[in-house]
Amino acid sequence: MGQQKIRKAVFPVAGLGTRFLPATKAVPKEMLTVVDKPVIQYVVDEAAAAGIEHFVFVTGRGKGVIEDYFDIQYELEQMLRERNKNAELTLLSDLLPTAGTASFTRQQVPLGLGHAVWCARDIVGNEPFAVLLPDMIMASEKSCLKGMVELYDKTGGNVLAVEECDPELAHKYGIVGMGDKVGEEGFKITQMVEKPAKGTAPSNFFINGRYILQPEIFKILETQERGAGNEIQLTDGMLALAKSQEFSAYHFKGETFDCGAKDGFILANLAFALKRDDIRPLIEGPLKAITSKM
């Protein structure tokens, strides 16, 4: 269709992580580890697998360790060289973004997701971009964002990733209405409803924390009034944008773990550990033993 390529992704990492206190008093929630990598690394890997070239982190006070993580640590690398720890050196090198492809900007006041996205406006510029919530990590053969980009290449406009939930739980999520099917994995979005009253949801498809948005969203967010929680909500901005632009849904069929919640974080550690050939044999037996005693 000739639309612009999705080159940039925004990661709103300024959140305080209150659901994980006291750990997040000193450690950003995005740096909590799932097996042996911080949560944010999984999300960045997903973006890289989708062809993202520029990673934009919207940070806040106390989040400097995230910037340090995506930088070279000379003392550590020198020590690894001296001890011939070549595998570890290669691992660190492979995780490091290419120089100049990671940008960091501050959200001085926590005014919500919409405000955090707006803070990235000058770095993103006048081109479509992705937003990935750093709490949510996905497990699938094809990365969630990659599937979204493939759908975007067909449809243009804006693309949201969605998953199915139990219809009885639809009132807990941001739900979309279903329109015409697009390819094998997508459909047109006819409406978006944030936490609909029980029995009123237009479907059981909920937005799962991955977005591809056109740059016109920035102008909307600039004057967006505060909504739920007295915050500038991205959903409100998308509803305004939907009046003039199309939205499509990518139906993600993998596993999603909300690592901002204790249960999701624990389940993510178990799931990713059991997928590892080097770890599964060490924990599968003990896990069965623990659960058999419960």
Side-chain angles (χ1 to χ4, degrees):
M1 295 180 64
Q3 58 266 10
Q4 287 182 274
K5 179 182 176 183
I6 306 299
R7 300 188 313 111
K8 297 178 181 178
V10 175
F11 305 86
V13 295
L16 298 176
T18 54
R19 290 186 291 174
F20 251 105
L21 288 170
T24 48
K25 180 180 178 181
V27 180
K29 61 179 180 176
E30 298 83 7
M31 294 303 295
L32 297 175
T33 56
V34 171
V35 187
D36 54 3
K37 293 194 297 186
V39 170
I40 188 63
Q41 183 68 63
Y42 289 90
V43 184
V44 168
D45 288 347
E46 178 186 336
I52 294 299
E53 301 170 3
H54 195 146
F55 308 88
V56 183
F57 299 88
V58 181
T59 71
R61 287 181 295 280
K63 298 298 182 103
V65 67
I66 298 175
E67 189 167 352
D68 291 340
Y69 174 78
F70 289 105
D71 199 356
I72 292 173
Q73 189 178 110
Y74 291 102
E75 295 83 359
L76 172 61
E77 294 189 7
Q78 181 61 32
M79 181 272 290
L80 293 174
R81 289 190 189 92
E82 291 172 355
R83 299 183 183 182
N84 294 317
K85 299 279 188 179
N86 295 320
E88 289 82 356
L89 275 169
T90 300
L91 174 64
L92 293 179
S93 176
D94 290 345
L95 295 178
L96 197 66
T98 304
T101 62
S103 297
F104 298 82
T105 188
R106 282 290 186 104
Q107 180 189 21
Q108 287 92 344
V109 182
L111 292 179
L113 177 58
H115 182 260
V117 170
W118 178 75
C119 288
R121 64 198 181 282
D122 286 339
I123 300 174
V124 172
N126 190 33
E127 59 183 279
F129 63 102
V131 178
L132 296 90
L133 299 191
D135 291 344
M136 315 301 288
I137 61 175
M138 319 294 205
S140 59
E141 186 174 339
K142 176 170 64 178
S143 87
C144 181
L145 187 61
K146 183 175 176 61
M148 294 174 67
V149 169
E150 291 174 355
L151 180 62
Y152 166 82
D153 289 340
K154 298 175 184 177
T155 65
N158 305 270
V159 178
L160 310 181
V162 299
E163 295 181 50
E164 292 185 81
C165 67
D166 183 331
E168 294 296 316
L169 300 177
H171 65 282
K172 296 183 176 182
Y173 300 100
I175 301 292
V176 302
M178 296 180 64
D180 294 338
K181 193 172 182 180
V182 181
E184 293 299 315
E185 300 174 305
F187 57 85
K188 293 294 183 182
I189 292 175
T190 58
Q191 60 185 125
M192 290 176 271
V193 185
E194 187 66 30
K195 296 182 179 179
K198 281 191 175 184
T200 67
S203 77
N204 66 325
F205 282 94
F206 70 93
I207 303 169
N208 73 356
R210 299 290 186 268
Y211 314 78
I212 290 176
L213 300 170
Q214 294 295 323
E216 286 78 12
I217 193 73
F218 291 125
K219 280 293 183 184
I220 293 171
L221 294 172
E222 187 170 352
T223 57
Q224 183 74 51
E225 293 184 2
R226 297 190 189 191
N230 200 33
E231 295 180 338
I232 298 172
Q233 298 292 339
L234 182 60
T235 302
D236 293 339
M238 293 192 300
L239 285 169
L241 185 60
K243 294 176 181 178
S244 60
Q245 294 186 6
E246 284 195 340
F247 276 73
S248 301
Y250 169 70
H251 184 188
F252 177 65
K253 298 178 182 177
E255 298 173 278
T256 299
F257 302 94
D258 179 1
C259 290
K262 297 178 181 70
D263 56 339
F265 178 73
I266 292 168
L267 288 171
N269 269 280
L270 291 173
F272 280 87
L274 289 170
K275 293 176 188 292
R276 291 266 297 263
D277 292 338
D278 60 330
I279 298 177
R280 184 184 182 106
L282 302 175
I283 67 169
E284 193 168 21
L287 276 175
K288 289 179 180 178
I290 290 171
T291 54
S292 68
K293 296 175 183 178
M294 304 300 282

